[in-house]
Amino acid sequence: MAKTQNQAAGDEAGDTLKKLTLVEKSERHFRAIYEQAPLGMTVVDFESGKFVRWNQKFAEIVKWKPEELARLTFQQITHPEDLPRNLLMMEELRTGSRKFFTMEKRYLLPDGSPLWVNLTVVPMWQAGGAPDYYIGMVEDISARKNAETAFQRQVDFGTLITTTLARFASSVGPAIDEAIRTCMQEIALFTGAETACVVLCSPDFSCWVRVYEAAIPGVQPMEWPDEMPMGT
């Protein structure tokens, strides 16, 4: 039996209502994921770079207040050394040569200090056009970066010590004095100290018999006596 015009209109209205319900449900799910995600999440305007929306986790990571984020762009809080690569990848998103990208970069906190994050960016495309917004997912990786830096510093210090021992081993006579002073200066530079010294003691440790000291450029070394009782 053919449907009446009213029945057809009713079916169409019912289908539309179902679609709207699905859209609302999908939006609720997205909002819940967005707000409760363990990662920082933000929506940014593609053209201006302004932060349009962000979750609480993102604000906690970058430590900017909501009213401050509302006035900022991602360019303003990205470390200058990381910005060119960030902008290049954004342009590749715009042209379609990338579907998304992930990069490690540094955000600048309110006090100006850098914070390492892992950033994943996915564009939000307009129908038949260019992306108008993008979603950024941000993970704080500062602890890992600090650990990597500390490990590399240990490696560098080990290399310095190895180089020092090799220099001593290849030095004879008066060249030993110069080798010691050179090593002291390198150690001072590495540790951030202004001066470094080596004290040679008598066999019974009763007095100093020789002091080697080196200073970084611009710092005057102390004047040590050739011999001084220990504890003086």
Side-chain angles (χ1 to χ4, degrees), residues 8 13 73 85 113 140 153:
T73 65
R85 181 165 171 256
S113 60
D140 181 354
R153 188 169 176 81

Side-chain angles (χ1 to χ4, degrees), residues 32-188:
I33 293 172
Y34 186 88
E35 295 298 337
Q36 299 171 24
L39 300 176
M41 298 188 70
T42 181
V43 175
V44 176
D45 182 87
F46 213 106
E47 291 297 329
S48 67
K50 286 183 68 67
F51 293 104
V52 177
R53 187 175 176 183
W54 55 88
N55 65 358
Q56 180 62 32
K57 185 64 176 178
F58 178 76
E60 291 173 359
I61 290 173
V62 298
K63 296 180 173 57
W64 288 93
K65 297 177 182 178
E67 60 270 22
E68 294 171 328
L69 282 173
R71 297 192 300 267
L72 291 169
T73 65
F74 83 86
Q75 296 95 322
Q76 289 174 302
I77 67 169
T78 295
H79 194 286
E81 293 179 3
D82 300 329
L83 186 56
R85 181 165 171 256
N86 199 163
L87 293 174
L88 175 62
M89 290 186 169
M90 293 295 294
E91 183 59 27
E92 291 174 346
L93 284 182
R94 185 195 304 276
T95 61
S97 59
R98 283 181 181 270
K99 301 301 181 185
F100 68 94
F101 72 79
T102 297
M103 68 177 292
E104 293 183 354
K105 61 178 277 186
R106 287 161 289 182
Y107 277 127
L108 297 177
L109 303 182
D111 63 2
S113 60
L115 177 81
W116 277 102
V117 301
N118 188 68
L119 170 69
T120 299
V121 173
V122 179
M124 300 171 68
W125 292 88
Q126 302 180 73
D132 48 2
Y133 297 98
Y134 69 82
I135 296 176
M137 289 162 279
V138 178
E139 177 188 7
D140 181 354
I141 60 170
S142 56
R144 173 169 66 81
K145 282 292 185 178
N146 290 339
E148 290 175 355
T149 300
F151 175 75
Q152 186 58 50
R153 188 169 176 81
Q154 289 180 339
V155 171
D156 293 343
F157 187 69
T159 301
L160 176 60
I161 296 301
T162 300
T163 302
T164 297
L165 294 175
R167 187 179 288 122
F168 287 161
S170 62
S171 301
V172 293
I176 294 179
D177 290 350
E178 184 59 30
I180 290 176
R181 291 190 180 91
T182 299
C183 293
M184 291 303 96
Q185 188 173 48
E186 290 175 351
I187 290 173

